[in-house]
Amino acid sequence: TRVTGLCLASLALCLLGQPLSAAEPAKQASEATGSGHCATIAPLPKEPTLDGAIADGEWDNATGTINFMQLFAKEEPSFNAMHMDPREGRTLVGYYGDTLYICVVSALPPRAVYGEGKHSKEMPRDAELIGDFNAVEIWLDPNRDRRESRQGDQSFYQVFVNTVGSLYDAKLVPGESPDKGWNTDIRSANAIDPDKKIWTAEIAISLKDFGWTAENAAGKSMGILISRNYKAPWNQATWFTHDDAFVSWHKYPRVYFTKDGPVARIESLGDRFWEAKPEWKVKIFNPGPAQTVKASIHVKSSDMPDLKNEKEIALPANGTGEYTFAATGEQLHQQADHYFKLRMTSAD
């Protein structure tokens, strides 16, 4: 086995079997989830303030993951590295009204790249930000529900934001060159902790440019791929695993927008995660009526038996619940590869 520490091959947040809308139960929509990854989100309780700070309660009802999955392996120049990057980070995704909100917290290089405290170049809009690897790169497929049937607008979209707020956005149509003249309504705010070398980026993208409204968002799904493009050392790392080119829309994590459905968010992997002693802590938001969900985790290891855990969790109306599970003793070895999948469904 490769000496990679605790190497997680996949992250998956699934809330299936809960109604997305009166007409479309999630278990029907879950049959095609794009690489098997999906998450649900419900409206945020209020519109987030874009200031580079995560205020208490501001991102409630947003789904989220911890750290990022490397796109490229050091051992071989190929996709499908399937390794978690050791740098600290988290991603939050939610919506409010007709706006999609994304927050990415990530580590910066020990020293600034283009000047003290900046870490990026200031560039005009739609400059070649793909060359700035202290950036957040976002790919959106708002037509995910009808993509397989080839109905509707076939366009999908690419957005970059760097540490000084430079923006790039483009519209892509399969078989055509990117349209850099397409500009969406996007806002962002950044904060950099100079001592901890942590960058917090908050991003707001209007859904109106995709034909979505506050009234029709619930019940739809969108492919959302988020990448932290790193320097020193270089890599691209995504919030869920992604084993293909970024234009491969069919492998984007599929996110279901709900009116008041339960939302799962990984809050912590534990202090001894890299010692092969993970402690998963998942917060479950329930903005709707009281209900019970079934939470389970399946861990596959390259040199140890599988670990499985399942619990039923009672969620109060307009409240929260928590799912926790810890690997103990020698259940996992540090010098091995491990894969885990977290799944949440309705109790029935």
Side-chain angles (χ1 to χ4, degrees), residues 23-24 55 65 78 93 115 118 127 132 152 155 166 196-197 203 226 234 236 259 279 283 294 298-299 304 308 330 345:
E24 182 183 12
T65 56
S78 66
V93 174
K118 285 192 174 181
D132 184 347
S155 303
S166 298
K196 296 181 179 179
K197 299 295 183 183
I203 304 161
I226 302 169
W234 176 87
Q236 291 178 286
K259 179 182 178 181
E279 297 181 18
K283 189 170 185 177
K294 186 183 296 181
H298 184 186
V299 183
M304 293 292 284
K308 295 182 179 180
E330 297 298 321
T345 68

Side-chain angles (χ1 to χ4, degrees), residues 4 13 16 19 26-27 42 54 61 75 95 116 143 180 192 208 210 237 241 244 267 272-273 275 295 321 337 343:
T4 56
L13 299 178
L16 309 178
K27 61 183 178 182
I54 302 175
N61 300 341
E75 296 87 352
Y95 80 105
E116 185 62 33
N143 193 39
K180 299 179 183 178
I192 293 177
K208 292 185 292 185
F210 312 132
T241 54
D244 211 331
E267 295 281 85
R272 302 184 65 190
F273 180 76
E275 301 173 28
D337 291 344
R343 182 178 176 89

Side-chain angles (χ1 to χ4, degrees), residues 48-211:
T49 300
L50 298 184
D51 55 7
I54 302 175
D56 288 344
E58 189 176 40
W59 287 85
D60 286 358
N61 300 341
T63 193
T65 56
I66 296 292
N67 297 349
F68 304 93
M69 305 302 297
Q70 294 177 350
L71 184 63
F72 296 97
K74 293 181 179 179
E75 296 87 352
E76 51 187 297
S78 66
F79 289 119
N80 201 18
M82 306 290 274
H83 293 177
M84 180 174 284
D85 194 280
R87 285 167 282 202
E88 177 182 350
R90 72 180 306 194
T91 304
L92 300 173
V93 174
Y95 80 105
Y96 181 86
D98 57 10
T99 303
L100 175 69
Y101 287 91
I102 296 172
C103 179
V104 177
V105 181
S106 60
L108 288 167
R111 292 182 294 175
V113 177
Y114 297 114
E116 185 62 33
K118 285 192 174 181
H119 301 272
S120 293
K121 288 180 179 178
E122 295 184 35
M123 304 180 190
R125 186 162 184 158
D126 295 337
E128 292 297 331
L129 271 177
I130 194 170
D132 184 347
F133 286 97
N134 280 316
V136 171
E137 182 176 357
I138 302 166
W139 289 80
L140 303 172
D141 179 15
N143 193 39
R144 187 65 184 85
D145 290 333
R146 300 193 295 170
R147 180 69 67 172
E148 283 93 346
S149 66
R150 300 184 182 275
Q151 297 178 339
D153 188 350
Q154 297 300 297
S155 303
F156 56 108
Y157 305 86
Q158 179 187 29
V159 172
F160 279 90
V161 176
N162 72 6
T163 62
V164 292
S166 298
L167 301 175
Y168 171 97
D169 48 9
K171 177 180 179 180
L172 295 92
V173 177
E176 299 181 11
S177 299
D179 178 7
K180 299 179 183 178
W182 176 84
N183 288 329
T184 187
D185 179 6
I186 180 173
R187 296 170 288 130
S188 68
N190 298 291
I192 293 177
D193 185 322
D195 298 320
K196 296 181 179 179
K197 299 295 183 183
I198 295 294
W199 169 32
T200 300
E202 292 185 302
I203 304 161
I205 302 173
S206 173
L207 296 171
K208 292 185 292 185
D209 290 330
F210 312 132

Side-chain angles (χ1 to χ4, degrees), residues 17-30:
Q18 300 293 344
L20 289 176
S21 67
E24 182 183 12
K27 61 183 178 182
Q28 293 177 2
S30 71

Side-chain angles (χ1 to χ4, degrees), residues 244-309:
D244 211 331
F246 281 0
V247 294
S248 300
W249 56 263
H250 56 287
K251 292 192 176 182
Y252 296 170
R254 193 170 184 176
V255 178
Y256 293 93
F257 291 61
T258 75
K259 179 182 178 181
D260 58 4
V263 179
R265 182 163 85 203
I266 300 177
E267 295 281 85
S268 174
L269 301 175
D271 295 335
R272 302 184 65 190
F273 180 76
W274 296 105
E275 301 173 28
K277 309 290 185 187
E279 297 181 18
W280 288 276
K281 180 179 178 181
V282 181
K283 189 170 185 177
I284 308 167
F285 298 94
N286 183 40
Q291 57 190 296
T292 298
V293 298
K294 186 183 296 181
S296 64
I297 194 165
H298 184 186
V299 183
K300 294 183 179 180
S301 175
S302 60
D303 67 348
M304 293 292 284
D306 288 9
L307 296 180
K308 295 182 179 180
N309 179 264

